[in-house]
Amino acid sequence: MIIYQAQKKQFLQDVQTNDIEAVVLESYFKRTGGKVSRQEVKSWASSLVYMGRVLHDDSIPDDCGVAIEYTIPQSAKRVDFLLTGKTADDQSCVIIVELKQWESAGRTTKDGVVTTRFSGGEKEVPHPSYQAWSYAALLKGFNEAVYDGNIQLMPCAYLHNHPESGGAINDAFYKEHIANAPLFLHGSLERQRLQDFIRKHVRTGDKGQALYLIEGGRIRPSRSLADSLVGMLTGKQEFVLIDDQKLVYETAMQQARKVAKKGKRVLIVDGGPGTGKSVVAINLLAGLTDSRMTVRYVTKNSAPREVYQTRLTGHFRKTEISHMFTGSGSFTEAIADDFDALIVDEAHRLNEKSGLYSNLGENQVKELIQASRFSVFFIDESQRVTLKDIGSKSAIRHWAGQLGAQVEEMTLSSQFRCNGSDGYLAWLDHNLQVRDTANVTLDVAEFDFRVVDTPTELRALIVARNQERNRARMVAGYCWPWPSKTDRNAFDIVMPDHDFKARWNLTQDGGLWIVSPTSVAEIGCIHTCQGLEVDYIGVIVGDDFIVRDGQVVCDASKRARSDMSLKGIKSMAKSDPVRAAALADSIIKNTYRTLMSRGMKGCYIYCTDPETSTYFKSRLCGTRSVDQPLPAQQIRPQITDSRPFRVLAHQDVQKYRNCVPVLPLKIAAGAFSEGQTLDLHEETQWACGDGIPLGPNIFIAQVVGESMNRRIPNGSWCVFRANPGGSRNGKTVLAQHRDIADPETGGNYTIKVYSSEKTDEGGTWTHKKIVLSPNSTDDSFRPIVLLPRSESDLAIVAELVSVLLP
């Protein structure tokens, strides 16, 4: 739907002689019957006047089409401004303009994400260039008129109030997104740049023809998008369908084909931890897309969506498939049967209301079924872990009946997690006292379960296990507050008696914590690990779950005040104490059941309560047959929270005079790759310490991985010098190249030993080849060899100065 549509000449007249915001507002009311906020009207008044100045250019044809507020079908995405015309070779072309009134922005460590200030405070939001590009990708991937009609889409962003100097908004960290969608800022020179951009692509007008084609275009995935998604699954062992997973997949595919012709269907797939619900869900996303159906992978929490995108693409960057992963609250205003299929993973976590304040929509289960012809709900009712979780098989059946959908139910029972041991899950249920089973004791030869005596020992075991495949993590019950959310130097989980301190994972990596290569020292929670798995999980069991005389006692009052999962339990207890106690008991037990079933190969636990620790130890038998991790005292310096430097308070920082920045390698690689000095955002940590030199090109970063372990032990903090001069031969460098895909860094940058061979060609020395070599005790790491044709794209970002000793 397009709210305002005209040709350029009429648009300029509306800007100059009418109140353009009033014209748009009237059109909005006529087309939707709805209202918009006063702030939205003010943004039209400001931004559209600026666009009027841009289009007040005789060389931009008067009969170009103009559209304002175009809502992309099957999404809540609204494109601010579209300009259509014809290219020099007579191809239809659409300029997509994302308009912002921002006056400033801050950089984050997240791909395509910046911070900016709103009336309610600072907030993380998509980078405008990424936003504009994502709209183009959505149209190119799903609008048949665009991909079959070869309509050229040219996205850009115009921040007409943002100073020309740019700052963080055009930082090199975002250069890929800005390259995909150019960024234009405040000032006459920037306005001329935008005019040049338009003139380059739009040579003649089209009287808005492309707008009619796009608005009437059939919505279905393009062949290239489908092939891309299927190709991402190819060769990835973790997504191969086995046993009853294949049966569920084929049944779902068959039902989807049936509803394409007639009717409405719902498939409920019940399965416990490790039965492969998410594996089937991701395969269905690819299979249904390959059948040219419009489909989305839906979860309540963002972590599964972010992690499976990353595992499919092999990197952490946003891609053309990102919009196919969406939250369960996105369907409050969806048109009935708008989608061919919705794949709902972790359906037990669905809520009744949507929105930040739980004030939108009626019921997420209803809205999902209503929005699609075919809905698949993957569910495990024993993993409902908050009071707001309403996802249940009975609720799905109810709403399916109300909406006239035929329901089929299937079960996934084959166990592929917990070393394939159904016995472990039965033992876990029995000893958490979720349900009675015959599995009173666990033979540790079947599954590597350990009860350790200190959190320090737990961390040592997990860090050692993580050396194998970066697939070991620690998690905990929500019994500790979250001070590090506002104070980056603070620790959250602190146990002074054991000299242990750690941070919750949510601040830095968010939903990608479970796959981020530097996150093993952080503690995960139920919200960032549910629906996901690792090889080894380390669980800190807090005081909300204790055992007395063989009986489990759950105490909701021991949860941190920042925990929202039991919000409302106190009020409920006043009116119905029996029900409140039962619900709290169920949620706490389900939380630990979920945490303790994340491990494919092993689970190690530390209990803050000694009697609880003794209880679990008494329920173990047998002899462990799996390989033993290194004892804690033999582990090399690893990723820990004991940093070999001191982070200064903000008021003590004198940049580069008494301290240097602490940066993730990804930030450093992006920031220094063009040889410029670094403009750091206000949240950057600044540090000093023995042996750390000072200077504008010095920074500290943590190096993860084994490819350089002879020189840099895994997890070491190192000092680097950016933009190094002189000979690089034999030096350890941070290098960046578009063809590098380093699994240890998760990006197109790497740390290796530099060497080159040169040849004299007519008095000019040129590189014959450049070799970036590992320096490791592990012979499986191979050198990266760059030949002359690709060598020009190599950037030596920094050189290693020293490895800081703990």
Side-chain angles (χ1 to χ4, degrees):
M1 178 176 65
I2 296 174
I3 296 301
Y4 171 96
Q5 186 172 341
Q7 293 182 27
K8 174 199 142 179
K9 186 175 182 179
Q10 179 62 48
F11 169 71
L12 289 179
Q13 183 177 334
D14 287 337
V15 170
Q16 293 162 6
T17 62
N18 302 306
D19 291 330
I20 181 63
E21 70 274 17
V23 176
V24 175
L25 181 61
E26 182 182 0
S27 181
Y28 185 92
F29 182 76
K30 286 180 179 178
R31 289 179 178 267
T32 70
K35 298 179 179 180
V36 296
S37 67
R38 183 179 299 176
Q39 187 61 38
E40 181 87 351
V41 176
K42 287 176 65 177
S43 72
W44 289 338
S46 174
S47 294
L48 296 179
V49 168
Y50 275 95
M51 281 307 301
R53 294 172 185 168
V54 170
L55 296 186
H56 193 71
D57 182 336
D58 292 340
S59 57
I60 298 175
D62 283 343
D63 58 349
C64 285
V66 171
I68 297 168
E69 298 291 344
Y70 166 58
T71 301
I72 300 176
Q74 298 182 344
S75 77
K77 310 298 185 186
R78 288 195 302 175
V79 182
D80 292 332
F81 196 94
L82 299 171
L83 184 76
T84 68
K86 297 277 190 176
T87 63
D89 54 359
D90 204 38
Q91 292 289 318
S92 289
C93 176
V94 179
I95 307 290
I96 296 173
V97 186
E98 178 62 23
L99 294 167
K100 299 291 185 190
Q101 297 189 82
W102 303 353
E103 296 180 1
S104 63
R107 189 179 57 194
T108 72
T109 59
K110 299 175 183 177
D111 182 57
V113 176
V114 295
T115 61
T116 194
R117 188 165 295 281
F118 296 96
S119 57
E122 197 167 75
K123 183 181 178 182
E124 287 188 347
V125 290
H127 190 288
S129 290
Y130 167 74
Q131 204 171 347
W133 171 83
S134 71
Y135 296 158
L138 195 54
L139 289 169
K140 188 176 181 181
F142 282 90
N143 192 298
E144 201 169 57
V146 173
Y147 58 75
D148 279 352
N150 196 30
I151 297 176
Q152 305 297 307
L153 303 178
M154 299 298 168
C156 66
Y158 186 25
L159 281 63
H160 48 77
N161 291 338
H162 197 293
E164 273 185 88
S165 56
I169 196 68
N170 56 10
D171 188 271
F173 180 59
Y174 303 111
K175 64 181 180 180
E176 289 184 22
H177 300 302
I178 295 172
N180 290 331
L183 182 67
F184 304 99
L185 305 175
H186 176 75
S188 58
L189 291 177
E190 290 289 289
R191 184 169 65 247
Q192 289 172 23
R193 285 184 59 236
L194 178 53
Q195 290 169 332
D196 291 343
F197 176 78
I198 293 172
R199 287 193 297 263
K200 177 181 177 182
H201 298 292
V202 175
R203 297 297 181 87
T204 59
D206 70 341
K207 296 181 170 61
Q209 180 186 8
L211 296 174
Y212 292 106
L213 293 174
I214 288 174
E215 191 163 32
R218 181 183 177 187
I219 304 303
R220 65 194 300 238
S222 68
R223 180 76 265 159
S224 63
L225 179 67
D227 290 346
S228 175
L229 187 56
V230 171
M232 290 176 186
L233 282 177
T234 304
K236 287 186 167 66
Q237 192 66 30
E238 64 185 302
F239 292 113
V240 174
L241 296 169
I242 303 171
D243 296 344
D244 47 6
Q245 297 172 358
K246 177 67 170 172
L247 176 61
V248 170
Y249 172 81
E250 293 297 341
T251 301
M253 291 295 295
Q254 183 184 62
Q255 291 203 8
R257 285 189 284 267
K258 287 180 179 178
V259 297
K261 301 176 182 177
K262 182 181 177 182
K264 192 179 190 74
R265 290 175 180 257
V266 168
L267 176 62
I268 301 173
V269 182
D270 191 2
T275 52
K277 298 186 294 297
S278 296
V279 171
V280 181
I282 296 299
N283 273 274
L284 280 173
L285 176 67
L288 293 170
T289 302
D290 193 44
S291 298
R292 309 296 296 280
M293 298 184 188
T294 55
V295 58
R296 297 290 186 272
Y297 173 87
V298 181
T299 61
K300 192 269 180 184
N301 281 358
S302 63
R305 302 194 300 270
E306 294 182 29
V307 168
Y308 286 119
Q309 284 182 66
T310 297
R311 286 181 174 169
L312 280 171
T313 60
H315 55 72
F316 295 88
R317 299 186 298 276
K318 302 288 186 182
T319 69
E320 71 275 9
I321 70 166
S322 296
H323 60 268
M324 301 180 75
F325 296 78
T326 190
S328 56
S330 304
F331 301 89
T332 56
E333 298 181 7
I335 299 170
D337 296 336
D338 204 19
F339 295 88
D340 293 317
L342 293 177
I343 311 302
V344 188
D345 206 359
E346 301 291 305
H348 40 271
R349 295 301 317 278
L350 295 175
N351 289 178
E352 183 177 34
K353 300 288 187 178
S354 301
L356 182 63
Y357 302 105
S358 299
N359 61 343
L360 301 177
E362 179 183 351
N363 182 289
Q364 288 186 355
V365 176
K366 174 189 177 182
E367 289 151 7
L368 289 162
I369 296 173
Q370 186 170 266
S372 61
R373 295 183 177 90
F374 177 47
S375 309
V376 187
F377 292 88
F378 292 91
I379 193 167
D380 178 4
E381 291 180 329
S382 62
Q383 290 195 52
R384 294 169 65 184
V385 295
T386 80
L387 284 182
K388 288 186 176 181
D389 294 351
I390 63 153
S392 67
K393 288 183 283 187
S394 61
I396 297 168
R397 293 188 203 106
H398 167 76
W399 286 113
Q402 292 288 310
L403 295 166
Q406 182 178 335
V407 178
E408 183 172 345
E409 299 187 37
M410 301 185 75
T411 300
L412 287 169
S413 55
S414 298
Q415 175 56 237
F416 299 98
R417 200 180 288 162
C418 306
N419 225 22
S421 173
D422 291 312
Y424 170 68
L425 292 176
W427 173 85
L428 194 58
D429 283 351
H430 186 89
N431 288 287
L432 292 175
Q433 297 177 14
V434 173
R435 63 185 176 97
D436 288 332
T437 72
N439 299 68
V440 178
T441 59
L442 174 70
D443 187 341
V444 294
E446 295 180 8
F447 183 68
D448 187 10
F449 188 91
R450 310 186 193 188
V451 184
V452 301
D453 295 325
T454 70
T456 308
E457 182 183 356
L458 179 69
R459 177 160 59 192
L461 286 169
I462 291 299
V463 167
R465 282 302 192 189
N466 196 59
Q467 294 180 51
E468 298 167 13
R469 295 203 306 159
N470 186 36
R471 288 179 63 90
R473 292 294 185 274
M474 289 186 294
V475 293
Y478 230 143
C479 296
W480 290 269
W482 190 12
S484 68
K485 182 179 182 180
T486 54
D487 180 1
R488 295 169 65 93
N489 287 320
F491 289 90
D492 305 311
I493 301 172
V494 179
M495 303 182 204
D497 292 347
H498 299 289
D499 192 26
F500 180 89
K501 55 185 179 180
R503 295 183 178 92
W504 288 114
N505 68 285
L506 294 168
T507 302
Q508 184 69 29
D509 297 302
L512 288 170
W513 157 81
I514 209 163
V515 293
S516 177
T518 60
S519 65
V520 69
E522 297 174 337
I523 308 294
C525 66
I526 188 68
H527 307 302
T528 48
C529 73
Q530 192 169 22
L532 304 169
E533 62 192 25
V534 290
D535 288 347
Y536 294 92
I537 195 73
V539 183
I540 299 176
V541 180
D543 288 344
D544 59 338
F545 182 100
I546 62 173
V547 178
R548 290 294 178 264
D549 299 323
Q551 293 298 308
V552 170
V553 179
C554 296
D555 186 351
S557 70
K558 299 298 183 182
R559 289 286 185 100
R561 294 180 64 183
S562 54
D563 173 35
M564 294 290 103
S565 61
L566 287 169
K567 185 178 181 181
I569 201 73
K570 290 182 179 179
S571 299
M572 184 187 296
K574 293 177 182 178
S575 59
D576 192 344
V578 175
R579 178 169 176 262
L583 273 174
D585 187 81
S586 173
I587 286 171
I588 291 171
K589 288 178 179 179
N590 285 350
T591 297
Y592 284 109
R593 180 183 190 269
T594 302
L595 295 179
M596 293 166 74
S597 59
R598 298 305 92 193
M600 297 279 286
K601 299 179 180 180
C603 174
Y604 310 147
I605 72 170
Y606 164 72
C607 303
T608 55
D609 175 66
E611 187 173 339
T612 307
S613 181
T614 302
Y615 166 79
F616 279 110
K617 287 178 180 178
S618 71
R619 303 304 174 101
L620 303 177
C621 65
T623 303
R624 190 172 295 108
S625 60
V626 297
D627 61 304
Q628 301 282 337
L630 293 169
Q633 65 270 21
Q634 293 182 23
I635 299 172
R636 292 193 307 274
Q638 277 289 332
I639 305 170
T640 71
D641 285 311
S642 299
R643 300 182 179 186
F645 50 80
R646 182 168 62 91
V647 175
L648 298 184
H650 179 73
Q651 64 270 19
D652 297 330
V653 170
Q654 300 177 40
K655 297 179 181 179
Y656 301 110
R657 296 175 61 189
N658 68 344
C659 56
V660 295
V662 182
L663 304 173
L665 279 178
K666 180 179 180 180
I667 292 288
F672 287 115
S673 59
E674 298 298 326
Q676 76 272 31
T677 57
L678 191 59
D679 182 18
L680 295 164
H681 61 85
E682 61 184 20
E683 294 185 359
T684 299
Q685 292 185 339
W686 293 82
C688 62
D690 294 338
I692 299 176
L694 301 175
N697 285 338
I698 300 295
F699 65 93
I700 300 170
Q702 189 176 37
V703 178
V704 176
E706 299 291 340
S707 65
M708 291 293 295
N709 64 22
R710 292 183 188 274
R711 178 75 173 88
I712 308 174
N714 182 14
S716 295
W717 292 95
C718 300
V719 178
F720 290 91
R721 178 180 291 106
N723 304 322
S727 175
R728 300 159 178 166
N729 267 325
K731 293 182 178 179
T732 298
V733 299
L734 169 59
Q736 186 177 42
H737 191 278
R738 58 182 171 82
D739 291 336
I740 292 175
D742 192 327
E744 291 189 314
T745 66
N748 61 344
Y749 52 95
T750 188
I751 294 180
K752 296 290 184 289
V753 178
Y754 179 100
S755 64
S756 69
E757 295 180 18
K758 293 184 178 180
T759 182
D760 186 355
E761 296 183 358
T764 301
W765 287 95
T766 59
H767 289 293
K768 188 176 180 181
K769 67 177 178 180
I770 292 175
V771 181
L772 302 173
S773 301
N775 184 11
S776 176
T777 56
D778 185 345
D779 294 336
S780 65
F781 292 101
R782 312 307 304 166
I784 298 170
V785 180
L786 301 174
L787 299 177
R789 65 176 180 274
S790 59
E791 173 269 318
S792 61
D793 293 316
L794 176 68
I796 302 302
V797 178
E799 67 181 18
L800 178 70
V801 176
S802 63
V803 178
L804 298 175
L805 298 177

